[in-house]
Amino acid sequence: MNATDATNAVTAKNTTIATKNSRTRGGMRHDHHDRPQTQRDFQRMNELPAGPEREVIEQRLIRAWLPMATRLADKYRDRGEEREDLRQVAALGLCKAVQGYDPERGAFEAYAVPTITGELRRHFRDYTWGVHVPRRVQDLRNRVRTALQVMPDGAGAGQVARMAGLSEEEARQGLEALHSYRPLSLSAQSSAQSDGAGLGEYLGEADEGFGVVEDREAARPGLSRLPERERRVLYLRFFRDMTQSQIAERLGVSQVHVSRLISSACADVRAEALGSTAETGAEAA
């Protein structure tokens, strides 16, 4: 082989490689072993009105292209979702693609792949997060996760930021969002404890004693302003647990009078307690 032949051979090889690469980059369809020959069915379905015959062709097309949808779903299998759930979402996207495809606008794959992929991404965005995370933070999480796949373990926020093309603060938000995808169950064991107790056992509960303390403090100013006789009556009734008859006998008055003293004193204390609580709330506001 002379120099001219060698040059021509290299040029031809480079041209072939460049053509393949340009087809890949430009979004032209790839050769897939599972691509069925369905163009005639699409054309026929497009000509038919809604009815049983059109539905039969539609179902046949869905079955024919289902392997492609399954392959697209399996690309998302390592993201915390059940594979079967993802395949069902991809199948739904395939149904939408078959129903919305126009045979005159090019190959079916060029329309179906973005449709199915979009359905999968919407599924992850809208239905799989255990807590509400803003869309921007979800995007940061995806970029951080992609960067971590090609980085060594233990990479810091600065390294992740440089790899993902983010600021360091954005990288931190993405790293935090990686752990927000699924909330921990309250029955999960705490890593900081060795007694096997679940996280729910460390949660606090409402203590009724706090309410009692608040009520006593609210009533204290009003009680201090009552006349000595009314304070004594309330003390004997509520702290010594004496009956109205016993209090009347000790004070030398009638039971009816004791009842009136208790009602009047309680009303005064309650009114002052509620008034001071309202004033405190207004000051806080």
Side-chain angles (χ1 to χ4, degrees), residues 42 45 54 58 62 94-101 108 111:
F42 275 118
M45 187 183 74
R54 181 186 176 93
E58 182 179 309
I62 291 173
L94 174 62
C95 292
K96 292 181 178 180
V98 168
Q99 293 168 356
Y101 171 60
F108 177 66
Y111 177 77

Side-chain angles (χ1 to χ4, degrees), residues 59-70:
Q59 293 299 318
R60 184 163 66 235
L61 288 168
I62 291 173
R63 288 193 298 269
W65 285 98
L66 191 58
M68 182 190 71
T70 300

Side-chain angles (χ1 to χ4, degrees), residues 15-35:
T15 301
T16 301
I17 294 174
T19 301
K20 291 180 178 180
N21 291 339
S22 65
R23 287 178 178 175
T24 302
R25 290 192 299 268
M28 295 181 66
R29 67 183 188 182
H30 301 275
D31 290 329
H32 298 300
H33 66 278
D34 58 357
R35 181 198 293 129

Side-chain angles (χ1 to χ4, degrees), residues 34 40 51-52 57 83 126 138 150 250-251 257 281:
D34 58 357
R40 289 185 179 179
I57 298 176
R83 177 178 294 186
D126 298 335
Q138 292 184 31
V150 296
R250 174 172 292 193
L251 297 180
H257 188 58

Side-chain angles (χ1 to χ4, degrees), residues 104-117:
E104 297 182 359
R105 293 191 174 183
F108 177 66
E109 303 98 300
Y111 177 77
V113 171
T115 303
I116 297 170
T117 303

Side-chain angles (χ1 to χ4, degrees), residues 65-82:
W65 285 98
L66 191 58
M68 182 190 71
T70 300
R71 186 176 63 250
L72 292 173
D74 289 347
K75 291 182 179 180
Y76 295 84
R77 63 183 179 274
D78 296 326
R79 300 192 181 185
E81 281 290 281
E82 294 291 335

Side-chain angles (χ1 to χ4, degrees), residues 1-10:
M1 179 183 295
N2 55 36
T4 302
D5 293 337
T7 301
N8 291 337
V10 171

